[in-house]
Amino acid sequence: MKLIKRILVIDDRDQENVLDEIHAALDKEYDLHTKSIRTTKIEYRQNHSLKLDFEKLKNAITDAYTQEYWFDLILTDFDLNEKGNVDGLDVVKYIKSIHSTAPIIMYSGDLGDAVRKIINTEGKALDDQQVAEAVMKLVEHNIQFIKRNDYKTKAINYLKGEKEMSLHNEFLRLLYEHKDMVFNSCYPEFTGKTFGEIAKILENNSDARSKEWMLALIQQTVAYLVKIN
């Protein structure tokens, strides 16, 4: 049985050909699930103008997560519409706000121009301090930023390096899949929390009690296995 890998692509151009090439390179190893959001579609515009409506785009990203619950890799273009009112860094910030550990590759046809936009110095030469500021912004969001022509190869190589199933990620995906269910079992400290809230705690490592909860869950699971065996 092949591992399932889930990819989300956000771009202003049709990326189906690239996704087909990624499938061709990885289909023997993985069962690939791919989602694509093309930001220039009319349903993502502000009142049918050329401006991108960020709220509509965020809803599309949320819908993609509702269908798959977890993505092993997210690919986003930096330039997402002609008017430039929303860019890839906005997308990165939104995705990281809902899944802080999401692995993201952002790409651009013109890295220099993208860096200028990131630090608000469009049309000007970049000095060393400005380049450093841009790098810090990218590091802060824990993303790779590469040339557009390289992203297909980078995505394939990244996924080829993820050959082992991540039990942690798969567990998070299952919790998010049943995010509205309320926990009322073996660990009173988390009683009343939804599975989605617990998944967020585990993903962000924001509560030291999460390890105790995991231990209690493992103990209950083993006790159940012993009983039915």
Side-chain angles (χ1 to χ4, degrees):
M1 179 178 172
K2 292 189 290 187
L3 291 178
I4 296 174
K5 292 292 183 181
R6 301 168 179 86
I7 306 171
L8 175 63
V9 181
I10 303 168
D11 202 299
D12 59 341
R13 308 180 204 172
D14 186 353
Q15 297 301 297
E16 290 305 315
N17 287 340
V18 175
L19 289 176
D20 287 344
E21 292 176 16
I22 293 175
H23 271 279
L26 298 173
D27 269 348
K28 290 183 179 179
E29 300 176 57
Y30 302 122
D31 177 9
L32 289 180
H33 294 196
T34 57
K35 294 282 182 185
S36 180
I37 298 173
R38 187 175 179 184
T39 58
T40 47
K41 285 187 175 180
I42 194 168
E43 59 259 41
Y44 303 132
R45 296 179 186 174
Q46 295 180 8
N47 299 321
H48 304 294
S49 71
L50 293 179
K51 284 190 175 182
L52 185 57
D53 189 318
F54 193 31
E55 290 305 313
K56 292 178 180 178
L57 178 56
K58 289 193 288 187
N59 288 338
I61 294 170
T62 301
D63 288 344
Y65 268 106
T66 299
Q67 295 171 38
E68 293 291 344
Y69 307 105
W70 188 265
F71 287 101
D72 299 283
L73 181 61
I74 294 167
L75 305 162
T76 181
D77 191 6
F78 179 80
D79 297 299
L80 295 173
N81 67 316
E82 293 178 23
K83 292 298 182 181
N85 62 306
V86 178
D87 60 42
L89 199 57
D90 295 315
V91 168
V92 168
K93 290 176 182 177
Y94 177 66
I95 292 174
K96 290 290 186 177
S97 74
I98 55 177
H99 288 294
S100 61
T101 61
I104 302 175
I105 295 175
M106 186 169 70
Y107 52 88
S108 174
D110 187 335
L111 292 181
D113 186 49
V115 167
R116 292 183 187 92
K117 289 180 181 177
I118 289 172
I119 56 177
N120 297 316
T121 57
E122 294 183 59
K124 299 178 182 178
L126 296 170
D127 60 33
D128 291 345
Q129 180 60 36
Q130 290 168 328
V131 171
E133 288 176 12
V135 169
M136 288 301 295
K137 283 191 176 183
L138 297 172
V139 170
E140 176 187 350
H141 296 292
N142 191 27
I143 60 174
Q144 299 183 59
F145 190 26
I146 62 175
K147 291 182 179 179
R148 182 182 189 91
N149 292 341
D150 296 336
Y151 96 80
K152 178 189 69 178
T153 301
K154 196 76 172 179
I156 291 170
N157 289 340
Y158 175 84
L159 291 171
K160 280 187 173 181
E162 298 287 308
K163 291 185 177 181
E164 297 297 326
M165 176 186 289
S166 170
L167 294 177
H168 176 75
N169 288 352
E170 189 61 22
F171 186 50
L172 287 178
R173 190 193 72 79
L174 290 170
L175 288 175
Y176 282 122
E177 182 176 351
H178 304 283
K179 63 182 180 180
D180 295 326
M181 292 189 70
V182 177
F183 180 75
N184 290 307
S185 186
C186 58
Y187 188 68
E189 296 284 345
F190 280 2
T191 295
K193 291 186 181 297
T194 66
F195 284 11
E197 289 171 334
I198 294 173
K200 184 71 73 174
I201 289 171
L202 292 176
E203 186 176 357
N204 296 333
N205 196 25
S206 59
D207 191 325
R209 296 175 299 174
S210 61
K211 291 183 179 179
E212 295 177 3
W213 178 77
M214 287 289 293
L215 179 59
L217 204 63
I218 291 169
Q219 290 172 337
Q220 184 172 7
T221 302
V222 172
Y224 173 73
L225 290 174
V226 169
K227 182 177 181 179
I228 64 172
N229 199 44

